[in-house]
Amino acid sequence: DGLITHQGVFSPDYQTYYFTVSDLNFSQFTIKQITKDGSNWSSPSDAFFNSNFNEHGLSFSQDGNTLFFSSTRPIVGQEVASTWHLWKVEQIKGNWGVPVYIDIPNLRNQLTSHPSIAIDGTLYFHSSNPDYTQMGIYLSEPDQDGQYQPARRLEIPELKDLEVCTPYVDPLERFILFATVGENLDLVMSKRTESGEWGKLQRLPASINTQGQG
């Protein structure tokens, strides 16, 4: 039907699966959802937080009550670049609220996308110039009021000359997965060392990285 299916995530109770579809030109991204009813899955429908703009790259908090995603929807009342930014939507007493913009103070004029959240609330994501150049992995921690602080770039020496994207961080921050940007997108991993630093990059095996990830 002329659509490409991208990454997806299960809700923590495994009853709903959310995934992204795009057109062949990567000009429109939409998040779909399917819901389990007994042993059957429903037909895909637009995710409850989807908009008329682009949506992509989502993840859940560990308790399942906050869903993080990236979107190009407009941000009212703030001077930010017209590009991808981070958003979240919270569930209270079983009801999902309205998505809200996540303000990363030092990246308001940059592209930010594909959030992944650690159990302490730290957000990992990729960021670049709006034209997708100089893409790297960043992290930002919330303060006591839940406001995210200026982001800093992931500190792994080998990343100095690499462009990387689409992180997934283990909730306990024991390891992180992401893709290197080149002729193909190759998946790599870094593990925490005993000293708390991120260790040497490890390329995932060829069974995963044959002609690029997937």
Side-chain angles (χ1 to χ4, degrees):
D1 57 3
L3 294 177
I4 299 174
T5 302
H6 300 263
Q7 74 169 72
V9 296
F10 283 99
S11 59
D13 62 6
Y14 295 100
Q15 296 304 299
T16 306
Y17 182 70
Y18 301 90
F19 61 97
T20 304
V21 296
S22 76
D23 57 19
L24 298 179
N25 296 322
F26 304 107
S27 62
Q28 180 65 47
F29 292 83
T30 301
I31 295 179
K32 301 286 187 179
Q33 67 181 68
I34 57 175
T35 303
K36 195 171 186 181
D37 182 10
S39 59
N40 298 315
W41 288 92
S42 67
S43 297
S45 61
D46 285 351
F48 69 89
F49 57 92
N50 202 60
S51 73
N52 293 326
F53 297 87
N54 289 300
E55 327 287 344
H56 200 358
L58 60 160
S59 64
F60 278 93
S61 61
Q62 290 303 294
D63 62 11
N65 289 325
T66 307
L67 194 156
F68 297 83
F69 63 100
S70 43
S71 176
T72 63
R73 64 185 69 192
I75 298 161
V76 178
Q78 296 198 48
E79 294 185 5
V80 299
S82 179
T83 184
W84 292 92
H85 293 286
L86 304 184
W87 291 72
K88 68 178 181 179
V89 58
E90 296 183 329
Q91 180 178 227
I92 300 175
K93 296 181 179 180
N95 296 312
W96 288 101
V98 176
V100 296
Y101 162 62
I102 299 174
D103 182 23
I104 308 295
N106 60 329
L107 297 178
R108 291 170 184 156
N109 293 317
Q110 297 291 90
L111 178 155
T112 55
S113 186
H114 286 71
S116 181
I117 187 166
I119 201 167
D120 67 355
T122 301
L123 273 180
Y124 289 74
F125 51 92
H126 71 235
S127 181
S128 71
N129 296 322
D131 64 359
Y132 295 91
T133 58
Q134 300 183 354
M135 186 169 287
I137 307 298
Y138 289 76
L139 62 149
S140 173
E141 292 120 347
D143 63 17
Q144 293 182 343
D145 297 321
Q147 301 300 309
Y148 278 91
Q149 301 304 293
R152 63 183 188 275
R153 195 155 184 154
L154 185 66
E155 293 183 4
I156 300 177
E158 295 161 283
L159 295 184
K160 181 179 179 180
D161 299 317
L162 289 176
E163 290 198 8
V164 289
C165 64
T166 59
Y168 167 78
V169 68
D170 165 59
L172 297 179
E173 297 174 278
R174 296 167 296 188
F175 64 86
I176 186 169
L177 295 164
F178 50 88
T180 58
V181 179
E183 183 177 349
N184 295 309
L185 292 177
D186 287 330
L187 288 174
V188 296
M189 177 176 66
S190 174
K191 296 180 180 179
R192 285 276 198 189
T193 65
E194 292 184 358
S195 65
E197 298 177 347
W198 291 104
K200 186 175 181 180
L201 292 185
Q202 303 174 43
R203 187 177 185 272
L204 270 61
S207 58
I208 295 174
N209 275 319
T210 301
Q211 295 181 337
Q213 62 169 295

